[in-house]
């Protein structure tokens, strides 16, 4: 692959990563509600999910989402249900009695669980979004041929995953910056509720587009 071709792929991946959506909301929730490290864990796991889809797309499995609508619809419904699950978690967190005090707790308290939950949600938001596979299918079809070596495929997958993880890590840094974080934490209850509503709206949009309602 030429550098010009790689740069084209990288540019499109950057624009795709910067597009607002549920992934941004999840990173926001962990960066503001927990810690910068939790935001990083969510971002890195999301990048891993992106890399997963990049790999399966180039191995041909991504064609299933294009040629078998039922398979794509099942994954879409699972993704919508997971968004509703996250919405319930966010709404409960906003209404909990320790919603404000949890921000001032011991930094080491429940750190392992928090990081694990952040990583899980970051990965699942990417994993349960078949539109990512369709995006890569359209993108890589312009650059990947049957003769394309695995070294080049690895470079493309690593590029997509690395750009996605780097972007959301930057988002986590920006949201947890000292000049921004106090205001966000003071309004954490409303932020959690707005995120919850956002998750439900996106989930309903997916379900109405998939189910014969």
């Amino acid at each position: 692959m030429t550098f010009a071709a790689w740069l084209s792929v990288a540019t499109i991946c950057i624009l795709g990563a910067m597009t607002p959506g549920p992934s941004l909301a999840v990173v926001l929730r962990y960066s503001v509600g927990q810690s910068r490290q939790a935001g990083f864990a969510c971002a890195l796991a999301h990048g891993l999910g992106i890399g997963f889809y990049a790999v399966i797309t180039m191995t041909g499995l991504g064609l299933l989402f294009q040629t078998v609508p039922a398979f794509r619809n099942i994954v879409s419904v699972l993704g919508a249900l997971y968004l509703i699950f996250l919405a319930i978690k966010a709404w409960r967190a906003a209404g909990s009695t320790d919603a404000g005090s949890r921000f001032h707790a011991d930094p080491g308290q429940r750190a392992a669980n928090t990081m694990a939950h952040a990583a899980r949600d970051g990965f699942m938001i990417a994993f349960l979004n078949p539109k990512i596979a369709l995006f890569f299918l359209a993108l890589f079809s312009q650059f990947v041929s049957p003769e394309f070596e695995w070294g080049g495929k690895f470079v493309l997958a690593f590029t997509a995953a690395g750009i996605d993880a780097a972007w959301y890590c930057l988002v986590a840094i920006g949201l947890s910056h000292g000049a921004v974080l106090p205001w966000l934490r003071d309004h954490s209850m409303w932020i959690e509720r707005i995120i919850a509503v956002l998750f439900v709206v996106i989930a309903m949009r997916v379900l109405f587009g998939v189910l014969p309602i």
Side-chain angles (χ1 to χ4, degrees), residues 71-172:
F71 182 57
R72 183 178 69 230
N73 291 343
I74 289 172
V75 177
S76 294
V77 170
L78 291 176
L81 294 177
Y82 195 76
L83 283 173
I84 294 174
F85 165 72
L86 293 180
I88 294 172
K89 284 179 56 181
W91 192 269
R92 286 180 174 175
S96 63
T97 56
D98 63 339
S101 61
R102 62 196 169 116
F103 296 126
H104 306 288
D106 179 8
Q109 187 179 8
R110 300 192 304 260
N113 284 340
T114 297
M115 299 291 280
H117 292 164
R120 177 200 64 193
D121 291 345
F123 179 81
M124 293 300 288
I125 281 293
F127 180 71
L128 293 176
N129 186 0
K131 290 183 179 179
I132 296 175
L134 298 178
F135 168 79
F136 284 133
L137 193 61
L139 175 60
F140 292 155
S141 64
Q142 309 300 315
F143 302 96
V144 178
S145 64
E147 298 79 22
F148 203 72
E149 296 181 355
W150 269 105
K153 293 179 180 179
F154 175 80
V155 169
L156 289 182
F158 182 80
T159 297
I163 287 175
D164 183 87
W167 166 250
Y168 284 115
C169 281
L170 288 175
V171 169

Side-chain angles (χ1 to χ4, degrees), residues 41-66:
C42 185
L44 293 174
H46 190 274
L48 183 63
I50 293 295
F52 167 81
Y53 267 127
V55 170
I56 68 167
T57 298
M58 287 185 288
T59 58
L61 294 179
L63 289 172
L64 282 174
F65 291 107
Q66 187 177 49

Side-chain angles (χ1 to χ4, degrees), residues 17-18 23-29 31-32 36 39-40 43 164-177 180 184:
M18 294 174 66
S23 301
L24 178 62
V26 172
V27 175
L28 167 65
R29 181 168 186 266
S31 299
V32 175
R36 178 179 294 183
F40 284 165
D164 183 87
W167 166 250
Y168 284 115
C169 281
L170 288 175
V171 169
I173 292 173
L175 293 173
S176 58
H177 191 273
V180 178
L184 292 174

